[in-house]
Amino acid sequence: MTDLITPGAKTDDGSAVDVAVLGKALLGRWSDVRIQARKLAGNPELHKVEGLSHTEHRKRVFTQLGILVREDGVHRAFPTRLGGSDDHGGNVAGFEELVIADPSLQIKGGVQWGLFGSAVMHLGTQEHQDKWLPGIMNLQTPGCFAMTEIGHGSDVASIATTATYDPATQEFIINTPFSAAWKEYIGNAAVDGLAAVVFAQLITNGVNHGVHAFYVELRDPTSKEFLPGVGGLDDNIKGGLNGIDNGRLHFSNVRIPRTNLLNRYGDVAVDGTYSSPIASPGRRFFTMLGTLVQGRVSLDGAAVAASKVALTIAVKYATERRQFNAASQTEEVVLMDYQRHQRRLLPRLATTYAAAFAHEELLVKFDSVFSGLHDSDEDRQDLETLAAALKSMSTWHALDTLQECREACGGAGFMVENRFTSLRADLDVYTTFEGDNTVLLQLVAKRLLADYSKEFRNLDFGVLARFVVGQAADLTINKTGLRQAAQFMADSGSAQKSAKALKDEDTQHEMLAGRVQQMVADVAAALKGAAKLPKDKGAEVFNQHQNELIEAARAHAELLQWEAFTRALRSLEDPGTRRVLTRLRDLLGLTLIEKHLDWYLMNGRISMQRARTLAPYINRVLEKLRPHALDLVDAFGYGPEHLRATIATGIERDRQDEARDYFRALRASKDAPVDEKVMLAKEKDRSKK
Amino acid sequence: MTDLITPGAKTDDGSAVDVAVLGKALLGRWSDVRIQARKLAGNPELHKVEGLSHTEHRKRVFTQLGILVREDGVHRAFPTRLGGSDDHGGNVAGFEELVIADPSLQIKGGVQWGLFGSAVMHLGTQEHQDKWLPGIMNLQTPGCFAMTEIGHGSDVASIATTATYDPATQEFIINTPFSAAWKEYIGNAAVDGLAAVVFAQLITNGVNHGVHAFYVELRDPTSKEFLPGVGGLDDNIKGGLNGIDNGRLHFSNVRIPRTNLLNRYGDVAVDGTYSSPIASPGRRFFTMLGTLVQGRVSLDGAAVAASKVALTIAVKYATERRQFNAASQTEEVVLMDYQRHQRRLLPRLATTYAAAFAHEELLVKFDSVFSGLHDSDEDRQDLETLAAALKSMSTWHALDTLQECREACGGAGFMVENRFTSLRADLDVYTTFEGDNTVLLQLVAKRLLADYSKEFRNLDFGVLARFVVGQAADLTINKTGLRQAAQFMADSGSAQKSAKALKDEDTQHEMLAGRVQQMVADVAAALKGAAKLPKDKGAEVFNQHQNELIEAARAHAELLQWEAFTRALRSLEDPGTRRVLTRLRDLLGLTLIEKHLDWYLMNGRISMQRARTLAPYINRVLEKLRPHALDLVDAFGYGPEHLRATIATGIERDRQDEARDYFRALRASKDAPVDEKVMLAKEKDRSKK
């Protein structure tokens, strides 16, 4: 046990983290924006105050949004001509840092500017932008993004609110036909929203042209009462994010001007004629929904930020807190030196680094699409898939990390002043909103299958047939274990040798990527022909492989994180830092292989002998990373104004010093009582003599 | 997809749950007490009100404790002569059901009667009981169990508060020497506690006799102000359980009468002479701490109850809620018919059943020890080990289940009115209080090793030597995969055949029990000789295997749950019910094997071929259990007054019926708009002709 609690540790093999260098790498392309946003997030006026009622909390957050406007923190994505800076990547980078102040603030800001404002900007024309964006930007018009309905969340195409065009008055009639079509969980709906972008089925001349977006006024700006025909309910208290006034909305034949249709991708002429630059209704729908990706990108970043904060607090505490007198009478062991504690925190630290690097790549991709630099259909699809995969991974990871950190800090972790429980409650819903993670992973799987079958399409029949034969042969080899036997021979020799092989970057990549390929191939083979079956039978076959599909998507997402981490290593020039980070990346790769070890064994990708060396090898990697744990969290760059956790202030060490001084003085004073056990042992000795 | 949403489903193979019969089996030995306690828990006066401030919530819960006294719900464990009924098992059975009303109520009651009152009863003499128990029972004396200190939680032996005897005044002087010795997280300490049982190092005549318990008055009953020398702090807001006024306490040379020492296991005479019926200080310490097991037993039961409630709500919703139009245009699929949804909920249902049956056995064991029926040292040790193992499993399981249910219900799951988030926040700390789960599993592991080495001690050297040789031979077989090869041959034939083998009860048991044995043997071999090393070296060797130790304990705990489920099956006489429950137990066994499949493969306990059939086989078991899902949660016996979740009221189905009626009427009216896609397809057809 090393018990290195000082930062800046340099270990025998030359590993040493240059915290400043690593910190800069983590800040990424939009480092200036992040630094500014963190300064903002350190402002006590923007911090979450625990114990407020949900009504008080809502008021506080609304006031905070005003501060964000005043401090110019939230307009980067908007057009330069309206006071923004057309900076999409920077905008998201700044937004996601706000989660450190209060997740409610981040999400309420996201509703106002990222969803409501974005919808007007991306789905409307310049006329719409000029008319509505200034009030949205300066918060004169708090508004809603009214898409989700009680009856349909992830399945947006099935929403039932209607917008029927009436050529007689040149108006759309917005209507909620039944209670399952009430808009639900809508931020700003319960109290603050004066207007909304309402998603509804556009009906004109007896034809339903699918989901479109409409600008609808909700409340009288003075009285704050609902306008005629508009109604709603307060969602009241939620599991978290109680600074946001979520609620329901419904519309009883509310009439709005024809020109309130946000008509960039679909328009209705005065006479009711529908037109669209996108002929295919399906493609049109997905184009309109494409702006939603921004929410997923920023949730990914916010989840990474929350994981960083949690690990910083937990690691700081674990390097001070001592428990159980394992080795000596006078000094207990710090938590961070226990193997199990390393197992709990360090692999999550590795995943957090991977998620951070992957998020940075996602943000670059997002920026290049939204800035128009690279926004082909393929770019957009790649962005969608990447965002779906990474958002799922990072939001689940944040919850897992927050909980593990909370438990690793024991009772102190449960105190709200130490942040974990509060952040966890607020981030809980990140796993199911802006796309339910389980649904998002199915989107990823769908894409993996499409890519796989595209590959098929490009091959002629002969090659395809050979491919299938080749696969069958593989399966035979696996079944009879021949491949495993072959690997046994390659593995022959010391346990050390086989463990070392897993440290190799290419081997890790081969293992992770090979798994994705094989899983996709397996599920594709199982689904072969399902699309040609009658619809219900086909759906049944798909359902029988739903779990495999989702797991294949997860494997792909894990690979993406590993690859991003590996790419990031290449740009690290400081050799000591790169050595530590490479080891952390190895930890990620090794723990991913360990997590899915059953699969690797079952499919003959690893020998039993090598598999058995994996856990002890991971334990050794943990020991080697242990001295750098503090540096690795310090590099996240969060100050006390961000951590705001009593147990991360050094108070624990102060208390231990006080206790140590007390016992030292007691022993010196000769007043120290004798321990009964010691006394009994002495008596025993005496009676023997 | 079966889409069977009606309860009482009977499937082709004669499987059918008799809900009443199964419900009775689940209620167990103390069914009358449970029924009475559930009636109490259904009383709206005892229900948690969401959104109260922590101060309001505390007041409400204090008032509720008075209702429990009035309704005679909390005195079963106390002596009959004082108005109790000496019924220890029944007392815990009743207590744990209160979690359904409000976990704060359960835990605050647990502090008052289960910890404070129990300490007086079990550690004090009849004189102490007669003097203090009446006021504790009727709540005239709200009190604290002041054991944990900031510096030491799980490691009670290291607490630093002192109780030094002064023969001159025949008093103990209670003192807090430094801030790490402040009592911390103490329920009733911040506001209500008038007295406390304080744990402190007993020092007399210059000898420290270790931790003892003292009855100390804290506050003036009229002014509620701290008495001289007593001080404290409010812990304020926690991650949950905010109906309890946790706080800190410290003592500045507070003098209490000699007779306030709870002296059943250790006494100090007027002249300061120490005496104890238990000579060994170590054994004395563990005997005094033995009463703590009651807390663990009741947390185990409460965690099971919370899991049952969560699954009931989630399964009810999943059999009504429809999403995505997979197979037909008019009717979407209910969530429960999706494979992934079955994967999410049904294995957790199986584990909940296992945890419930295991808890019942634990409660019977607890009752037999505490009633004095079977309370040998060995009985007490068995009880301790069983409680540690099961409490760890069930409290983690409850958090996992609550979270999965919350996510499986999407946004609705996040609304506090649907219970999951609130219960989860309250139950979070169950994993680390009354014994941190990670520490408890190490206690279990210690016992497993002790049993293992006892086995060694009972063998003569020759046998021991043979045993080791035998082991080594086993290892060789595993390493070269010969055993696996042998199994391949046994497995030869269809996939069905190998899957069927895992359905066999004996095979499941052999797999689960064999894993525990092997893991313990492996870790024992690795630790061999560590006890003889110098203390720091020995500790280092232990630490290098800490993770394996904990995992071995977990494997043992999982086996205990599986065995309890299997024993419970034998007492089920209704054949249809037994068939369904046997399948549910199979699901438990199979998912445990799947969870640890890497281990089974790595150790040659399962062939690659058989391993590959496991997941598809589990999927088929899920399909077969699916029609009985509603019955299986109905058998838990919770009514709407316990569930109190909007989404479990049938409201979802009502909304769908309304939507269906709307669309039916629309189609009949011929006003229904044509879908653009349909129109385009028709136009295409026309242009072709």
Side-chain angles (χ1 to χ4, degrees):
Chain A
M1 281 171 270
T2 49
D3 197 354
L4 276 167
I5 61 170
T6 46
K10 185 162 177 160
T11 41
D12 295 346
D13 59 353
S15 300
V17 175
D18 186 324
V19 173
V21 164
L22 181 56
K24 202 163 172 303
L26 283 164
L27 283 171
R29 183 189 291 188
W30 290 273
S31 62
D32 291 348
V33 175
R34 286 195 192 278
I35 287 164
Q36 192 199 330
R38 287 188 189 185
K39 208 172 159 189
L40 205 53
N43 177 352
E45 283 183 288
L46 296 182
H47 292 169
K48 183 174 182 183
V49 172
E50 301 293 344
L52 296 183
S53 69
H54 72 290
T55 48
E56 294 163 336
H57 192 187
R58 288 170 174 185
K59 279 181 199 147
R60 179 173 172 88
V61 171
F62 186 76
T63 307
Q64 290 170 335
L65 290 195
I67 298 173
L68 294 183
V69 172
R70 194 185 72 204
E71 301 285 337
D72 198 22
V74 283
H75 293 158
R76 293 184 187 89
F78 291 109
T80 311
R81 71 172 193 284
L82 297 173
S85 45
D86 289 299
D87 177 5
H88 298 277
N91 181 58
V92 169
F95 248 111
E96 59 199 27
E97 294 286 343
L98 295 178
V99 77
I100 318 164
D102 182 349
S104 286
L105 175 62
Q106 189 222 348
I107 300 301
K108 180 129 174 158
V111 167
Q112 175 67 16
W113 296 295
L115 290 171
F116 176 51
S118 263
V120 170
M121 181 166 73
H122 291 294
L123 303 180
T125 55
Q126 187 165 331
E127 199 185 317
H128 291 133
Q129 294 172 355
D130 292 346
K131 185 171 174 190
W132 291 315
L133 282 186
I136 293 173
M137 289 167 70
N138 70 17
L139 206 61
Q140 261 180 357
T141 318
C144 307
F145 185 80
M147 188 165 76
T148 296
E149 296 177 357
I150 296 172
H152 292 95
S154 298
D155 184 9
V156 178
S158 297
I159 60 167
T161 301
T162 52
T164 312
Y165 184 63
D166 177 1
T169 61
Q170 298 181 27
E171 287 170 321
F172 283 102
I173 306 163
I174 309 289
N175 193 50
T176 306
F178 42 75
S179 55
W182 282 37
K183 298 295 176 184
E184 170 63 311
Y185 315 130
I186 309 300
N188 275 342
V191 179
D192 297 323
L194 297 182
V197 169
V198 175
F199 288 79
Q201 305 284 349
L202 188 159
I203 299 164
T204 180
N205 290 336
V207 178
N208 181 347
H209 292 276
V211 176
H212 286 64
F214 302 84
Y215 189 93
V216 182
E217 289 180 3
L218 297 178
R219 287 185 171 87
D220 180 283
T222 315
S223 71
K224 314 277 179 192
E225 295 294 318
F226 276 130
L227 295 170
V230 181
L233 270 180
D234 191 329
D235 278 336
N236 278 310
I237 305 169
K238 306 181 294 291
L241 293 184
N242 279 306
I244 305 165
D245 55 322
N246 293 83
R248 298 184 181 183
L249 292 172
H250 58 90
F251 305 91
S252 306
N253 296 315
V254 172
R255 286 177 171 266
I256 58 167
R258 180 185 66 96
T259 50
N260 277 24
L261 166 64
L262 298 174
N263 58 348
R264 181 185 287 189
Y265 298 111
D267 200 9
V268 170
V270 172
D271 68 351
T273 310
Y274 180 84
S275 63
S276 168
I278 307 175
S280 152
R283 220 184 127 228
R284 192 192 309 144
F285 173 72
F286 284 108
T287 305
M288 283 198 265
L289 255 62
T291 56
L292 281 177
V293 79
Q294 175 169 292
R296 289 172 195 162
V297 175
S298 60
L299 293 190
D300 182 51
V304 171
S307 302
K308 287 176 180 171
V309 166
L311 283 164
T312 305
I313 297 169
V315 168
K316 276 179 186 281
Y317 184 65
T319 53
E320 294 186 2
R321 176 75 174 176
R322 294 171 185 279
Q323 276 294 284
F324 287 105
N325 201 332
S328 82
Q329 285 291 339
T330 49
E331 189 86 309
E332 293 166 303
V333 176
V334 296
L335 296 183
M336 202 68 234
D337 284 332
Y338 283 107
Q339 184 187 64
R340 181 69 170 197
H341 220 81
Q342 293 167 8
R343 270 267 178 188
R344 295 170 83 172
L345 299 184
L346 298 183
R348 289 176 172 88
L349 185 61
T351 307
T352 301
Y353 265 85
F357 291 128
H359 174 67
E360 176 70 11
E361 293 189 356
L362 172 62
L363 202 52
V364 169
K365 179 91 197 158
F366 165 77
D367 187 67
S368 83
V369 168
F370 274 60
S371 69
L373 198 66
H374 301 288
D375 67 344
S376 68
D377 265 17
E378 206 187 322
D379 286 319
R380 287 189 174 264
Q381 277 169 26
D382 285 351
L383 172 62
E384 293 273 357
T385 308
L386 194 60
L390 296 183
K391 181 265 187 184
S392 304
M393 288 299 103
S394 61
T395 54
W396 272 327
H397 173 66
L399 291 196
D400 171 61
T401 299
L402 283 160
Q403 183 63 23
E404 198 66 41
C405 289
R406 129 65 199 125
E407 291 183 30
C409 295
F414 192 58
M415 300 296 113
V416 84
E417 66 173 22
N418 291 319
R419 302 289 303 280
F420 306 120
T421 57
S422 174
L423 276 170
R424 198 205 166 283
D426 287 330
L427 266 78
D428 183 353
V429 78
Y430 286 44
T431 61
T432 54
F433 73 178
E434 300 286 317
D436 182 301
N437 284 358
T438 303
V439 176
L440 291 181
L441 285 183
Q442 289 177 73
L443 293 184
V444 174
K446 213 170 150 182
R447 170 68 188 272
L448 291 172
L449 281 178
D451 285 356
Y452 190 77
S453 68
K454 235 185 278 170
E455 197 177 323
F456 272 179
R457 277 198 297 266
N458 293 339
L459 301 169
D460 73 13
F461 188 79
V463 178
L464 176 62
R466 271 206 305 283
F467 189 92
V468 171
V469 169
Q471 238 195 323
D474 267 12
L475 199 63
T476 315
I477 290 171
N478 289 353
K479 264 195 183 156
T480 56
L482 288 179
R483 179 187 288 180
Q484 192 176 37
Q487 205 182 11
F488 266 124
M489 282 177 262
D491 279 0
S492 68
S494 68
Q496 180 57 28
K497 193 178 166 194
S498 51
K500 255 191 188 152
L502 294 169
K503 206 179 114 184
D504 177 61
E505 185 171 296
D506 292 338
T507 307
Q508 285 175 40
H509 188 256
E510 198 184 297
M511 298 279 283
L512 297 175
R515 180 162 178 260
V516 178
Q517 275 177 324
Q518 181 72 47
M519 287 174 91
V520 173
D522 284 351
V523 77
L527 294 175
K528 210 164 170 279
K532 289 177 203 153
L533 291 172
K535 212 174 175 188
D536 56 338
K537 286 287 163 202
E540 199 172 321
V541 174
F542 259 85
N543 191 42
Q544 279 161 358
H545 297 278
Q546 190 187 26
N547 202 53
E548 287 161 70
L549 270 167
I550 292 171
E551 291 308 320
R554 188 197 297 272
H556 176 67
E558 289 168 348
L559 171 66
L560 292 174
Q561 290 188 326
W562 183 94
E563 286 177 339
F565 198 155
T566 301
R567 274 190 293 270
L569 286 179
R570 289 184 195 136
S571 60
L572 281 173
E573 285 177 16
D574 177 67
T577 306
R578 196 168 55 220
R579 201 161 290 152
V580 177
L581 268 279
T582 302
R583 196 163 269 150
L584 194 65
R585 193 279 323 271
D586 289 345
L587 180 62
L588 173 72
L590 294 166
T591 48
L592 283 173
I593 293 168
E594 187 183 48
K595 186 175 157 194
H596 306 299
L597 196 52
D598 56 343
W599 188 92
Y600 290 105
L601 283 157
M602 222 161 22
N603 288 278
R605 303 290 178 108
I606 193 170
S607 69
M608 288 160 70
Q609 185 187 16
R610 183 177 287 176
R612 278 197 301 267
T613 65
L614 183 54
Y617 184 61
I618 288 174
N619 292 339
R620 285 198 298 280
V621 173
L622 292 171
E623 271 180 38
K624 284 183 180 159
L625 282 168
R626 157 69 186 97
H628 309 287
L630 257 189
D631 291 336
L632 287 168
V633 296
D634 279 345
F636 291 146
Y638 293 116
E641 74 279 21
H642 303 125
L643 302 179
R644 306 194 303 278
T646 310
I647 53 170
T649 58
I651 194 174
E652 178 63 26
R653 201 190 305 199
D654 293 346
R655 277 193 296 248
Q656 286 172 13
D657 290 346
E658 185 197 351
R660 196 181 294 113
D661 292 346
Y662 169 87
F663 283 121
R664 203 169 282 153
L666 189 65
R667 280 192 300 273
S669 74
K670 320 248 172 189
D671 286 343
V674 184
D675 194 87
E676 184 185 344
K677 283 183 201 170
V678 176
M679 189 188 71
L680 289 176
K682 279 186 188 163
E683 278 172 10
K684 215 171 171 182
D685 274 3
R686 263 198 302 272
S687 68
K688 272 186 193 162
K689 284 169 193 170
Chain B
M1 280 170 267
T2 50
D3 197 352
L4 276 165
I5 60 170
T6 45
K10 185 163 178 160
T11 41
D12 294 347
D13 59 352
S15 299
V17 175
D18 185 325
V19 172
V21 163
L22 181 55
K24 203 164 171 299
L26 283 163
L27 283 170
R29 184 189 289 187
W30 289 274
S31 61
D32 292 348
V33 174
R34 285 195 194 277
I35 288 165
Q36 192 199 330
R38 288 188 188 185
K39 210 173 156 188
L40 205 53
N43 177 353
E45 285 182 288
L46 297 183
H47 292 170
K48 182 173 182 183
V49 172
E50 301 293 344
L52 296 182
S53 70
H54 72 290
T55 48
E56 294 163 335
H57 192 186
R58 288 170 174 186
K59 279 182 200 147
R60 180 173 170 87
V61 171
F62 186 76
T63 308
Q64 290 171 335
L65 290 194
I67 298 173
L68 294 182
V69 171
R70 194 185 72 202
E71 301 285 336
D72 199 20
V74 284
H75 293 156
R76 291 184 187 90
F78 292 109
T80 310
R81 71 172 193 286
L82 297 174
S85 45
D86 289 301
D87 177 5
H88 299 275
N91 180 59
V92 169
F95 248 111
E96 59 200 26
E97 294 287 342
L98 296 177
V99 77
I100 317 164
D102 182 348
S104 286
L105 174 63
Q106 188 222 348
I107 299 301
K108 178 127 174 161
V111 168
Q112 174 67 15
W113 298 295
L115 290 172
F116 176 53
S118 263
V120 171
M121 181 166 74
H122 291 294
L123 304 180
T125 56
Q126 187 165 333
E127 200 184 317
H128 291 133
Q129 294 171 356
D130 293 346
K131 187 173 173 187
W132 291 314
L133 282 186
I136 293 172
M137 289 167 69
N138 69 18
L139 206 60
Q140 262 182 354
T141 317
C144 308
F145 185 80
M147 190 164 76
T148 296
E149 296 176 358
I150 296 173
H152 291 96
S154 296
D155 184 9
V156 178
S158 297
I159 59 167
T161 303
T162 52
T164 311
Y165 184 64
D166 177 3
T169 61
Q170 298 183 28
E171 287 171 321
F172 283 103
I173 305 162
I174 309 290
N175 193 51
T176 306
F178 43 74
S179 55
W182 282 36
K183 298 296 177 183
E184 170 62 310
Y185 315 129
I186 309 299
N188 276 340
V191 179
D192 297 325
L194 296 182
V197 168
V198 175
F199 288 79
Q201 305 284 349
L202 188 160
I203 300 164
T204 179
N205 290 335
V207 177
N208 181 348
H209 292 277
V211 176
H212 287 65
F214 303 83
Y215 190 93
V216 182
E217 290 180 3
L218 297 178
R219 286 184 172 88
D220 180 284
T222 316
S223 71
K224 312 279 179 188
E225 296 293 320
F226 276 131
L227 294 171
V230 182
L233 269 180
D234 192 329
D235 278 336
N236 279 310
I237 304 169
K238 306 182 294 289
L241 293 184
N242 280 306
I244 305 166
D245 55 320
N246 292 83
R248 299 184 179 183
L249 292 173
H250 59 90
F251 306 92
S252 306
N253 295 316
V254 173
R255 286 176 170 266
I256 58 168
R258 180 185 66 95
T259 50
N260 276 24
L261 166 64
L262 298 174
N263 59 349
R264 184 188 284 189
Y265 299 111
D267 201 8
V268 171
V270 172
D271 68 351
T273 310
Y274 181 82
S275 63
S276 168
I278 306 175
S280 153
R283 219 183 130 229
R284 191 191 310 142
F285 173 71
F286 284 107
T287 305
M288 283 197 267
L289 254 61
T291 57
L292 281 178
V293 78
Q294 174 169 293
R296 290 171 195 165
V297 174
S298 58
L299 294 190
D300 182 51
V304 171
S307 303
K308 287 177 180 172
V309 166
L311 283 163
T312 305
I313 297 168
V315 168
K316 276 178 186 283
Y317 184 64
T319 54
E320 295 186 1
R321 175 76 174 176
R322 294 171 186 278
Q323 275 296 282
F324 287 104
N325 203 333
S328 82
Q329 285 291 340
T330 51
E331 188 87 308
E332 293 166 305
V333 177
V334 295
L335 295 183
M336 202 69 235
D337 284 333
Y338 283 107
Q339 184 186 64
R340 182 68 169 198
H341 220 81
Q342 293 167 8
R343 271 269 179 187
R344 295 170 83 173
L345 298 184
L346 298 182
R348 288 176 173 88
L349 185 61
T351 306
T352 302
Y353 264 87
F357 291 128
H359 174 67
E360 176 70 11
E361 293 189 357
L362 172 62
L363 203 52
V364 168
K365 179 89 195 164
F366 165 76
D367 187 68
S368 83
V369 168
F370 273 62
S371 68
L373 197 65
H374 300 288
D375 67 343
S376 68
D377 266 18
E378 206 188 320
D379 287 318
R380 287 189 174 265
Q381 277 170 25
D382 285 351
L383 172 62
E384 293 273 358
T385 308
L386 195 59
L390 296 182
K391 181 265 185 186
S392 306
M393 288 298 104
S394 61
T395 53
W396 272 326
H397 173 66
L399 292 196
D400 170 61
T401 299
L402 283 160
Q403 183 63 22
E404 198 67 40
C405 289
R406 128 68 199 123
E407 291 183 30
C409 294
F414 191 58
M415 300 296 113
V416 84
E417 65 173 22
N418 290 321
R419 302 291 301 281
F420 305 121
T421 56
S422 173
L423 276 170
R424 200 206 165 284
D426 286 330
L427 264 79
D428 183 354
V429 77
Y430 285 44
T431 61
T432 54
F433 74 177
E434 300 286 318
D436 182 300
N437 285 358
T438 302
V439 176
L440 290 181
L441 285 183
Q442 289 178 74
L443 292 184
V444 174
K446 211 168 151 183
R447 170 67 187 273
L448 290 173
L449 281 178
D451 285 357
Y452 190 79
S453 68
K454 235 187 274 168
E455 197 179 320
F456 273 359
R457 276 197 299 267
N458 292 337
L459 301 169
D460 73 14
F461 188 78
V463 177
L464 176 60
R466 271 205 306 283
F467 187 92
V468 172
V469 170
Q471 239 196 319
D474 268 12
L475 200 61
T476 315
I477 288 172
N478 289 351
K479 265 194 182 158
T480 56
L482 287 181
R483 181 187 286 181
Q484 193 177 34
Q487 207 183 6
F488 266 124
M489 281 178 260
D491 279 0
S492 66
S494 68
Q496 180 57 28
K497 195 178 163 192
S498 49
K500 253 190 187 152
L502 295 169
K503 205 180 116 183
D504 177 62
E505 183 170 299
D506 292 338
T507 307
Q508 284 174 39
H509 188 256
E510 200 185 296
M511 299 277 285
L512 298 174
R515 180 161 177 260
V516 178
Q517 275 176 325
Q518 181 71 48
M519 289 175 90
V520 173
D522 284 352
V523 76
L527 294 174
K528 209 162 171 284
K532 288 176 200 152
L533 291 171
K535 212 174 173 186
D536 57 338
K537 287 285 163 204
E540 198 172 322
V541 174
F542 259 85
N543 191 44
Q544 279 160 357
H545 298 277
Q546 192 188 25
N547 203 50
E548 288 162 70
L549 271 168
I550 291 170
E551 291 308 320
R554 188 196 297 271
H556 177 66
E558 288 168 347
L559 172 66
L560 292 174
Q561 290 187 326
W562 183 94
E563 286 178 337
F565 197 155
T566 301
R567 275 190 293 271
L569 286 179
R570 289 184 194 135
S571 59
L572 282 174
E573 285 179 15
D574 177 65
T577 306
R578 197 168 55 221
R579 202 161 291 152
V580 177
L581 268 279
T582 302
R583 195 162 272 150
L584 195 65
R585 193 280 322 272
D586 290 345
L587 180 62
L588 174 73
L590 294 166
T591 48
L592 283 173
I593 293 167
E594 187 182 48
K595 184 174 158 194
H596 306 300
L597 197 52
D598 56 344
W599 188 91
Y600 289 106
L601 284 158
M602 223 163 19
N603 288 276
R605 303 291 178 108
I606 194 170
S607 69
M608 288 160 69
Q609 184 186 18
R610 183 175 288 176
R612 280 197 299 266
T613 65
L614 184 54
Y617 184 61
I618 288 175
N619 292 339
R620 285 199 296 279
V621 173
L622 291 171
E623 270 180 37
K624 285 185 179 158
L625 282 167
R626 156 69 187 98
H628 309 288
L630 257 189
D631 290 338
L632 287 168
V633 297
D634 279 346
F636 292 147
Y638 293 115
E641 74 279 20
H642 303 125
L643 301 180
R644 306 194 303 279
T646 310
I647 52 169
T649 59
I651 194 174
E652 178 62 26
R653 202 189 305 196
D654 293 345
R655 277 193 295 248
Q656 286 171 13
D657 289 346
E658 186 197 350
R660 197 183 293 114
D661 292 347
Y662 169 86
F663 284 120
R664 203 170 282 155
L666 188 66
R667 279 191 302 271
S669 74
K670 320 246 173 190
D671 288 342
V674 184
D675 195 88
E676 183 185 346
K677 283 183 202 170
V678 176
M679 191 189 68
L680 291 176
K682 278 186 189 165
E683 279 174 11
K684 215 173 175 182
D685 273 3
R686 261 198 301 273
S687 68
K688 272 186 194 163
K689 284 170 197 170

